[in-house]
Amino acid sequence: MKSNFKNAIAALTFGLALSVAPMIASAEDSSDPIIIPIHNWSSQIVMSHVVGQLFQKLGNSVEYVSTDSQAVYEAVRQGDATLELEVWEGAFGASFNAALEKGGIHDAGDHNAVTREDWWYPLWTKESCPGLPDWKALNECAAKFATPETGDKGRFLGGPVDWLKHDAERVDALDINFTVVNAGSAAALWAELASAEKTKRPVVIFNWTPNFVEALYPGEFVEFPKWVEGCNKDPSVGPNPDKTYDCGNPATGYLKKAAWDGMKDKWPKAHTLLTKISFTNPQIAEMAKLVDIDEMEPEDAASAWLKANESVWSGWLK
Ligand code: TMO
């Protein structure tokens, strides 16, 4: 009786092994390169290389492609890029949602990180404009932020145009006495900050967290009317009944990963790894720091980060 039972189990196990084997064989990842899009801020570039190097540890090949940070959602939807590692709610939530609605892209899970992207000032700015962080103080102090370029209006130095596209609409909707000037690169924002620091000149620039900036410059975000769902679409939402964008960005935004729907079938192992990946605020700030303060090349920063943080990622490869 007992040995019959054992035989039955053995036969069952053998049968299972036979039927499972082809499934495992078909679950091999394609040898085609996984296309990883790279944008124009350091944490995203370093994180892309960190994850690319993890894919390589699985045996995958990867290719990095420089891509516009809004157009990338359409590229992922079409399978031209395989994934996106930093979907920031404030800057990209709308483009991501639009692509989700069209189909072909999916949410591959949240990072642990909580994000914020908005108008920001280094703390010395408050001495010239003590009503901050309330946004209404910007109007009282506009002249202190004026430059030859902006006349008697204050200057807000925004990021490159592919990040947040609606600063000018917000200025209009909230009737802020400021002009939006877009920086050509993230580096131009940091150069402005370093230059302002020399004479403690008041400045308002675009900034975000997690970032390396918090380790170098204490500062605060301007508090605009709180973000509410629909503020960017429905004029009746927010304090100005006639205009959209009359609110700040989310103060506790998400940071998501996204993937092309076809990734699950073409690179199943890499896709499983992608869904497990989750970075924290300090980890992402560190990735930015390696490039923006330590001046490492992104590839080298990624290798150094992986070497110093094996306990973070080793479990994800199992
Ligand atoms: C998209 N960014 C993180 C620079 O705000």
Side-chain angles (χ1 to χ4, degrees), residues 40-41 43 69 86 88 91-92 116-118 160 163-164 186 206-210 255:
N40 48 358
W41 65 96
S43 71
S69 64
E86 288 194 7
W88 292 67
F92 311 120
R116 187 167 186 181
E117 308 157 82
D118 223 320
W163 297 351
L164 288 180
F206 180 74
N207 190 15
W208 59 92
T209 184
L255 186 67

Side-chain angles (χ1 to χ4, degrees), residues 27-60:
E28 283 302 318
D29 282 7
S30 166
S31 59
D32 290 353
I34 296 170
I35 309 294
I36 303 180
I38 298 285
H39 308 307
N40 48 358
W41 65 96
S42 299
S43 71
Q44 196 274 347
I45 304 172
V46 175
M47 188 191 294
S48 294
H49 283 278
V50 162
V51 174
Q53 290 176 25
L54 288 177
F55 287 153
Q56 287 174 321
K57 288 183 198 291
L58 287 181
N60 292 116

Side-chain angles (χ1 to χ4, degrees), residues 86-102:
E86 288 194 7
V87 187
W88 292 67
E89 182 173 5
F92 311 120
S95 294
F96 176 50
N97 286 337
L100 276 179
E101 266 169 41
K102 288 190 197 164

Side-chain angles (χ1 to χ4, degrees), residues 171-209:
V171 162
D172 175 48
L174 292 174
D175 199 15
I176 309 172
N177 200 18
F178 267 61
T179 298
V180 175
V181 175
N182 285 102
S185 64
L189 293 172
W190 318 141
E192 170 68 357
L193 199 45
S195 137
E197 188 188 26
K198 287 185 193 142
T199 55
K200 299 284 191 276
R201 172 165 55 87
V203 281
V204 186
I205 67 169
F206 180 74
N207 190 15
W208 59 92
T209 184

